[in-house]
Amino acid sequence: MTSLHARMRLLSRRRPMVALIVQVALLAMVWFACDTVVRALHLPIPGSVGALALVLALLAMRVVPETSLRRGADWLLADMLLFFIPAVMAVWEHLPLLRSEGLRIVVAIVLGTVMVMATTAGLVDLAFRWKQHRAR
């Protein structure tokens, strides 16, 4: 894996756009592989959650250095809003559903968002404390 890390660093320096494409492709391949496994095993979690857990485990065990995925992950996070635009447009096609179940949907979205934000904040806090404890 050190060789992979060295190659990715070299690629990032010499050809940053190619490195970005390779890293995004690697992340997409991990997602696709995990999604295929989850569907084949009929697991009750989405493939994307399995892929996230796998990438997190690989990063935590330092099998994959964070610099090997940083450029691609940064790009995905920066442009993530663009991935939601088709979903917003699809909502307008279901206005009757929104009129009849709109309040329940909004409550579910708000509660889900609060739960995700609280969980993310808790995990970031735990990771930060763990990293500080490890640095001592």
Side-chain angles (χ1 to χ4, degrees):
M1 285 296 153
T2 306
S3 174
L4 172 67
H5 177 59
R7 287 181 184 171
M8 290 301 287
R9 253 196 330 197
L10 186 62
L11 187 63
S12 290
R13 279 193 217 138
R14 290 188 177 170
R15 298 178 186 238
M17 197 61 184
V18 174
L20 170 74
I21 292 169
V22 168
Q23 291 175 9
V24 170
L26 284 172
L27 289 169
M29 285 176 16
V30 169
W31 166 80
F32 183 74
C34 286
D35 192 55
T36 303
V37 169
V38 163
R39 287 176 192 261
L41 298 176
H42 303 289
L43 297 176
I45 61 169
S48 57
V49 174
L52 178 65
L54 177 63
V55 170
L56 183 62
L58 292 174
L59 288 171
M61 293 186 299
R62 297 177 190 232
V63 172
V64 175
E66 69 180 71
T67 54
S68 296
L69 297 175
R70 179 180 301 249
R71 190 177 298 266
D74 285 347
W75 180 80
L76 284 171
L77 288 173
D79 293 331
M80 191 173 275
L81 183 61
L82 292 176
F83 298 123
F84 290 105
I85 289 174
V88 170
M89 297 308 290
V91 167
W92 289 112
E93 294 179 8
H94 301 285
L95 281 179
L97 175 67
L98 285 177
R99 287 187 184 117
S100 64
E101 301 290 333
L103 183 61
R104 294 166 98 183
I105 292 172
V106 168
V107 169
I109 289 171
V110 169
L111 285 177
T113 302
V114 168
M115 290 171 59
V116 166
M117 291 176 73
T119 303
T120 302
L123 286 175
V124 167
D125 187 52
L126 280 174
F128 182 72
R129 290 177 192 215
W130 177 69
K131 192 172 181 177
Q132 278 188 331
H133 178 73
R134 246 181 120 191
R136 290 182 201 165

